[in-house]
Amino acid sequence: MPNSNAKLHSNHRGGREASRRELVSRSLQSAQHCLENQDFGTAYAHYLLVLNLAPELKTTVKETFQFTLFKWAEELDSLARIQDLFNCYEQALELYPNDEVICNSMGEHLFRMGFRDEAAGYFHKAVKLNPDFADARENFYRVANWLVERWHFIMLNDAKRNLTYLRAIEKAVHSGSKSVLDIGTGTGILSMFAKKAGASLVYACELSKTMYELARDVVAANDMEREIKLLHLKSLDIEIPKHIPERVSLVVTETVDAGLFGEGIVESLIHAWEYLLLQPK
């Protein structure tokens, strides 16, 4: 009797496997037929079924699936079916989470729709996955020119300004402020100042996805990725202990907008802040 049951189970499994193979084969044929007739939406649905039923075929059908996805996305875009377009890319990235071509294409759609910060994130991921992917590199640099304000470069090259911040942060840390939160970290320069000054805990938050990714790269390039915790959050959304374990003893920021008055008043504010921090307690 046990042998009979085992045989039945084996036959049942064999039958299911045969049915799966048959369904996959028919779906592949249907997908190809739809492509020939430029019915990209139906072809895309067939490929989704195939890839969910037969993950082992991911490599085999990858290029054809990409082609189908991109053609269907173009149609959805022309029909202003934006949510359906995004849903298709989310499904595709669930199947191919590390595909730089799909990431780059998603970024291009987002950029054209005006979602530049989100687009930068996908372009950046594509470049990370394949640093030699020229299209993704070009797209990332293009969107970065939109998102990274020029004053970042001026400030980073202002040695006097940076030295002022460094001295003020060093004074605060040496006076006992060992946990630091950098609000609007940008490139992460103030966080790195705090860590180099001896702060034991350094947290940094940045709302812009592009600047957050840039800060991650800069911090990693300086071998501090394990010492500075970067948060892609607005400062008002930070919760204790969800994001940081406890209140910090020092907050640093360079979020003063100089658009109306120019850098002169900002420098005055910096010097005033330095004066307050340098005063004996």
Side-chain angles (χ1 to χ4, degrees):
M1 194 67 177
N3 289 336
S4 177
N5 287 336
K7 186 175 181 179
L8 286 172
H9 284 303
S10 177
N11 289 338
H12 182 61
R13 285 195 300 271
R16 284 191 302 178
E17 177 60 22
S19 297
R20 183 186 74 90
R21 287 199 299 266
E22 177 66 17
L23 181 55
V24 167
S25 176
R26 287 180 178 274
S27 293
L28 283 172
Q29 291 174 10
S30 297
Q32 188 59 43
H33 178 73
C34 290
L35 286 179
E36 290 170 0
N37 290 284
Q38 298 189 352
D39 183 359
F40 300 114
T42 307
Y44 175 76
H46 279 298
Y47 277 118
L48 280 184
L49 178 61
V50 167
L51 290 168
N52 278 286
L53 286 174
E56 67 273 14
L57 294 179
K58 282 185 178 180
T59 302
T60 305
V61 304
K62 180 178 176 179
E63 289 187 10
T64 311
F65 174 75
Q66 288 175 343
F67 172 80
T68 307
L69 167 67
F70 300 156
K71 286 294 186 179
W72 180 225
E74 287 176 9
E75 283 193 22
L76 292 173
D77 193 7
S78 68
L79 295 169
R81 292 171 56 183
I82 305 306
Q83 189 56 56
D84 289 334
L85 185 152
F86 288 155
N87 289 341
C88 286
Y89 273 96
E90 287 175 3
Q91 292 166 339
L93 287 170
E94 284 181 7
L95 292 166
Y96 296 96
N98 296 318
D99 189 288
E100 69 274 18
V101 178
I102 295 177
C103 286
N104 183 64
S105 180
M106 175 65 157
E108 289 176 338
H109 280 286
L110 287 165
F111 185 79
R112 284 197 296 270
M113 293 174 192
F115 301 108
R116 291 170 183 155
D117 206 25
E118 293 82 355
Y122 281 98
F123 293 145
H124 183 264
K125 182 178 180 180
V127 173
K128 281 283 193 181
L129 289 167
N130 182 3
D132 296 325
F133 188 8
D135 287 350
R137 282 205 320 272
E138 182 179 340
N139 284 332
F140 181 68
Y141 294 148
R142 179 173 53 147
V143 77
N145 283 332
W146 284 89
L147 294 172
V148 181
E149 300 288 351
R150 291 300 174 191
W151 50 261
H152 276 288
F153 304 106
I154 297 172
M155 286 163 48
L156 288 172
N157 286 285
D158 188 338
K160 180 180 177 182
R161 180 193 193 102
N162 294 335
L163 185 59
T164 299
Y165 268 105
L166 175 60
R167 286 175 175 171
I169 291 171
E170 284 178 340
K171 178 63 177 178
V173 171
H174 296 164
S175 297
S177 298
K178 296 299 183 181
S179 58
V180 179
L181 171 63
D182 178 8
I183 296 177
T185 191
T187 59
I189 187 171
L190 299 187
S191 295
M192 291 187 290
F193 283 171
K195 194 62 196 178
K196 288 181 177 180
S200 54
L201 299 171
V202 179
Y203 309 97
C205 65
E206 175 57 56
L207 181 59
S208 165
K209 178 67 173 176
T210 303
M211 295 307 299
Y212 167 75
E213 295 290 355
L214 178 61
R216 288 181 61 183
D217 286 345
V218 172
V219 167
N222 284 273
D223 297 321
M224 292 188 182
E225 65 268 33
R226 295 184 180 179
E227 302 176 44
I228 298 173
K229 182 177 180 180
L230 288 164
L231 303 167
H232 181 216
L233 286 171
K234 188 180 352 180
S235 59
L236 294 176
D237 293 334
I238 296 176
E239 299 178 17
I240 298 171
K242 181 179 179 180
H243 301 115
I244 59 177
E246 58 187 5
R247 293 173 66 90
V248 298
S249 53
L250 176 66
V251 173
V252 298
T253 187
E254 192 168 11
T255 53
V256 180
D257 193 331
L260 178 61
F261 300 106
E263 288 297 313
I265 192 169
V266 178
E267 288 183 0
S268 297
L269 287 169
I270 292 171
H271 289 306
W273 181 58
E274 180 193 31
Y275 173 80
L276 290 172
L277 286 175
L278 293 177
Q279 295 310 298
K281 295 182 178 181

